[in-house]
Amino acid sequence: MSGDSPTGPFDWHDFLRRWQEEWMPRPDHEEVGGPGPVVLGRDGAGEAAIVAAEEGLGRRLPPSYQEFLAVSDGWYVDQTAGVYQLGGVAEIDWFGDPDDLTSTYEEFLDDDPSREAVLLAGMWRRALRLETDSDMTYALLDPGDLDGDGEWALYVYHGWGGEFPHRYPSFRAYMEAMYRDFHATRAERSDFVNATTREQDARVERARLLALRGRYEAAVPLLEEASEFGRPHSAVLLNQIRHFLDPHNSRDYGNLVADARYLPEVLPVAALGPAQEQWRVDGDDHWLGMMAARGAGREAAEAVLGAVRDGTHRYAPAGAWGRAVGEARETARWGAGDAAWRVLRDALPLWEQPGPLLVVPLGLLADPVLGPLVTPERGREVLATPRGGQRGAAPEPVPDLDPPGLAWLAEPARFGTSFGGGYRCVWVEGVEPERLPGLIGEDGAVLSAPVRPYDAVRLARRPHEREDEGVELWEDRAVVAVGRAEGAWAFAFDGYGLHHMSHLFRSPVTDASSAGRAVVVWCEQGDGTGGDRPDAFHLSVAEGGVELYGFTLWGADVERSGALPEALDPDRLFRPGDSGKEGQLRALRALHGELGLSLPRFALTRGRLATFTTRSWTRAPREGEGFAYLHFGRMRR
């Protein structure tokens, strides 16, 4: 049904003949009078009868409806829930809007309504009603909604549904859609085999091979049409492509989990939705039951859901692709997302299908470290890369996402996360990130599984909730994201808490430097009023447990220590009359140029990193010093 354009030549005789020859009852539908033949159409109406009907209506009928009537004066549509029978020239008449739907739809019109809304509101009183038997459903041709070929739009309105009517651009478009629906509602019948099903199944196979060759854009329309005909596997293949085009919106893979070849890839991806709904930890029975009904064992589904939820799941395919996945994960788990993606990109042609119905490395999306790297742009790169033993031209590589240096920290919100209000970070040179908890972590601190840093901070317990563990209210213990930066630096970053620098601040730089040169930066944007909370910026550098130099800026006041390099002189960085942003930006650029400091933007804003809790960034108050501790909670009435 895809050869002619919607407004081009159309052979109604061939179309309706094929429909009649292919007709079978739905699997769940017993025809009245037994399994005998059902006649869908009638003899065509003669030209004189059509002209007489038009004269009675006072309007010429649209072209595709005229052509249909000349071949068949009515049709048995047999929708599952909707229109059953379309009338002929002796039965059609103006709708007349008996339920005053016009008034209802006029209420939806605002002061500047769209053309579509105006047409819909006026449709009810001018429409031509076509159906003669239905399930409280109307098929209405609207002479006011015309296209350039004189076709009237056809609206189908379910009186029992309450939703807006569905619009088809013409009578022909409606009938083609009903033919596809006829096929889709019978696709489960094993004996429903005909020229159309064979043609569509051939399209599915062609689309599958096109997808593996990287020609996904050519595969999509073939699969879209086949899925409208209800052909097996078409929706599963199409959803894989759509999932990589929009990686963060889930898709349905039906009973694919029932096949052991696909379960390791499909089940973790299916678990992503319920795993992210933390409040449903005790309410997973619906999802688990659904997976069991689709063929996945309940215990396996429960284990996968738990691993995806706590960040311990690992995508572990076999072969050369699997080895590349392991290498990329080790790279990405410390924040080097661009380098990890290059590893995956180079290995993608080596990906092998676990079975013919998988055309993408679907399980990659469920890996807590690698999944976030698949942006829509990278998803298209995956789809455009030949794989699974197929050949084709490789796509242009997607540009890296992480800018060099630190200046991006002063940018406006990006990816929904901004650190413009404040952040603090510890860098240690020449050590692996795993050593940071031992250098600056609280007693017993260990690295967590990869998580979104914001979630780790949000879920962390506050000092008043840890008093029984010896945590004092004056303490400022930070939950930090851990990774590896450019050069030989490991970092521990906090940009998500609500901490403010105070007179009790104690830099962790000397503790961190016991293993190598260490740098601490704390930037805090003030309230912009010059009042109680001015702009603040702290830098300290130490080595071998000894602080080398540093400064702390509070508004216009600066405290210095040691011999500061000229490039890091606060008088040079923070100038009178500047905004706090301008000085911060100069400082960040200088830190990159002088010390080679950087941070991975994508990992800190969109990725997953290990975290741990540091020792306090504040010292105990001395005699005569005070402090304030505020905690805001939500009280349910």
Side-chain angles (χ1 to χ4, degrees):
M1 302 312 305
S2 60
D4 298 322
S5 69
T7 57
F10 188 70
D11 190 334
W12 281 99
H13 283 280
D14 181 68
F15 174 63
L16 299 178
R17 176 191 55 78
R18 178 183 289 201
W19 195 338
Q20 176 68 72
E21 290 176 352
E22 295 172 348
W23 193 90
M24 282 186 176
R26 298 187 299 273
D28 60 343
H29 187 62
E30 290 295 331
E31 290 301 314
V32 177
V38 172
V39 178
L40 303 180
R42 309 171 182 171
D43 291 337
E47 183 179 354
I50 295 174
V51 170
E54 290 177 329
E55 290 175 349
L57 295 169
R59 292 291 301 259
R60 280 188 58 80
L61 296 171
S64 66
Y65 188 49
Q66 285 183 21
E67 295 165 5
F68 162 77
L69 290 172
V71 176
S72 181
D73 191 24
W75 194 258
Y76 179 48
V77 179
D78 187 34
Q79 272 192 294
T80 306
V83 173
Y84 304 143
Q85 183 76 45
L86 296 175
V89 291
E91 297 149 314
I92 57 175
D93 201 357
W94 298 114
F95 179 51
D97 194 13
D99 299 317
D100 193 23
L101 291 166
T102 301
S103 297
T104 300
Y105 280 80
E106 283 178 342
E107 293 177 2
F108 295 117
L109 301 178
D110 54 24
D111 294 336
D112 186 23
S114 66
R115 176 180 179 274
E116 292 78 8
V118 172
L119 285 172
L120 181 57
M123 182 268 295
W124 309 98
R125 290 177 183 166
R126 61 176 180 256
L128 185 66
R129 179 175 178 177
L130 303 187
E131 89 290 341
T132 58
D133 185 17
S134 71
D135 177 16
M136 293 181 62
T137 300
Y138 305 121
L140 306 172
L141 272 174
D142 180 12
D145 190 349
L146 287 145
D147 69 10
D149 297 303
E151 294 289 354
W152 305 0
L154 189 148
Y155 290 83
V156 173
Y157 176 67
H158 299 292
W160 38 263
E163 72 272 11
F164 278 60
H166 187 88
R167 179 185 181 276
Y168 300 88
S170 66
F171 177 78
R172 171 186 161 184
Y174 166 74
M175 287 293 281
E176 289 184 298
M178 293 306 98
Y179 175 67
R180 294 190 293 269
D181 182 71
F182 152 72
H183 265 265
T185 54
R186 290 151 176 83
E188 294 180 7
R189 289 189 56 150
S190 60
D191 58 344
F192 187 62
V193 179
N194 49 60
T196 301
T197 62
R198 288 190 289 268
E199 176 188 351
Q200 292 299 327
D201 290 344
R203 288 171 178 268
V204 172
E205 177 58 18
R206 181 182 170 206
R208 189 184 72 85
L209 293 175
L210 285 170
L212 290 171
R213 292 167 186 162
R215 298 180 57 195
Y216 71 96
E217 291 173 308
V220 165
L222 297 175
L223 292 172
E224 285 177 337
E225 181 175 305
S227 67
E228 290 181 352
F229 279 87
R231 299 318 302 155
H233 316 314
S234 56
V236 162
L237 294 170
L238 180 61
N239 280 344
Q240 292 174 55
I241 295 175
R242 287 175 171 169
H243 207 156
F244 271 75
L245 290 173
D246 188 5
H248 304 298
N249 279 336
S250 61
R251 299 289 174 177
D252 184 20
Y253 296 105
N255 296 332
L256 220 55
V257 293
D259 192 320
R261 295 173 296 176
Y262 307 120
L263 185 142
E265 304 246 1
V266 175
L267 189 58
V269 171
L272 284 172
Q276 291 166 359
E277 297 173 358
Q278 297 289 342
W279 57 271
R280 289 191 61 188
V281 171
D282 297 324
D284 297 325
D285 281 348
H286 173 72
W287 182 81
L288 292 170
M290 183 170 63
M291 291 299 104
R294 292 181 174 183
R298 185 182 177 93
E299 288 187 8
E302 200 162 8
V304 167
L305 177 58
V308 171
R309 177 172 276 142
D310 64 22
T312 59
H313 170 70
R314 296 292 179 270
Y315 173 51
W321 167 247
R323 290 190 291 275
V325 166
E327 179 186 345
R329 184 187 298 110
E330 180 62 23
T331 303
R333 78 184 182 106
W334 301 122
D338 289 333
W341 188 255
R342 289 192 289 272
V343 172
L344 294 174
R345 172 194 293 153
D346 292 344
L348 188 57
L350 303 176
W351 174 76
E352 298 177 356
Q353 296 175 274
L357 297 185
L358 212 64
V359 293
V360 290
L362 189 63
L364 182 67
L365 299 178
D367 190 281
V369 175
L370 299 177
L373 299 181
V374 188
T375 62
E377 296 78 14
R378 286 171 169 168
R380 287 193 291 272
E381 185 175 29
V382 170
L383 293 172
T385 301
R387 56 201 179 276
Q390 299 295 320
R391 295 183 178 182
E396 284 293 318
V398 171
D400 287 348
L401 296 178
D402 282 333
L406 300 169
W408 65 268
L409 286 165
E411 293 176 352
R414 185 178 178 86
F415 302 133
T417 304
S418 172
F419 303 119
Y423 48 86
R424 51 187 171 178
C425 187
V426 181
W427 288 266
V428 183
E429 191 176 26
V431 304
E432 290 302 311
E434 294 99 329
R435 290 194 60 189
L436 294 181
L439 296 174
I440 60 173
E442 66 177 6
D443 289 344
V446 294
L447 292 178
S448 73
V451 295
R452 290 186 297 184
Y454 171 78
D455 288 340
V457 171
R458 179 174 56 86
L459 297 172
R461 291 186 297 157
R462 304 298 185 253
H464 69 280
E465 298 170 320
R466 301 187 61 189
E467 288 183 283
D468 60 340
E469 301 174 19
V471 177
E472 303 288 346
L473 293 180
W474 53 261
E475 291 193 70
D476 175 12
R477 303 192 184 199
V479 177
V480 290
V482 179
R484 189 182 292 119
E486 294 176 6
W489 296 97
F491 68 83
F493 178 86
D494 171 28
Y496 315 89
L498 298 177
H499 310 281
H500 297 303
M501 198 184 304
S502 75
H503 65 285
L504 301 178
F505 167 59
R506 182 188 71 87
S507 172
V509 72
T510 55
D511 293 341
S513 71
S514 62
R517 187 169 55 151
V519 180
V520 168
V521 169
W522 187 335
C523 175
E524 184 176 331
Q525 287 293 113
D527 54 20
T529 65
D532 296 335
R533 195 160 62 84
D535 293 330
F537 195 97
H538 168 84
L539 165 68
S540 50
V541 179
E543 190 166 4
V546 178
E547 183 172 328
L548 303 178
Y549 57 84
F551 70 84
T552 302
L553 176 142
W554 296 84
D557 299 327
V558 180
E559 298 176 2
R560 305 164 181 261
S561 64
L564 285 159
E566 182 180 359
L568 298 177
D569 187 331
D571 291 340
R572 180 175 180 174
L573 303 176
F574 300 91
R575 303 167 186 171
D578 279 354
S579 69
K581 284 280 189 185
E582 291 170 326
Q584 177 193 167
L585 189 56
R586 285 195 201 95
L588 294 172
R589 287 172 175 161
L591 288 167
H592 176 55
E594 183 73 14
L595 300 175
L597 299 181
S598 66
L599 286 170
R601 180 176 66 187
F602 190 88
L604 291 169
T605 55
R606 294 276 299 277
R608 307 289 189 275
L609 292 170
T611 65
F612 72 93
T613 302
T614 69
R615 295 193 281 274
S616 178
W617 289 57
T618 52
R619 58 173 174 79
R622 302 187 181 105
E623 186 176 351
E625 289 182 325
F627 72 94
Y629 176 80
L630 299 177
H631 171 69
F632 297 92
R634 182 178 296 173
M635 183 167 54
R636 182 179 296 173
R637 291 187 176 182

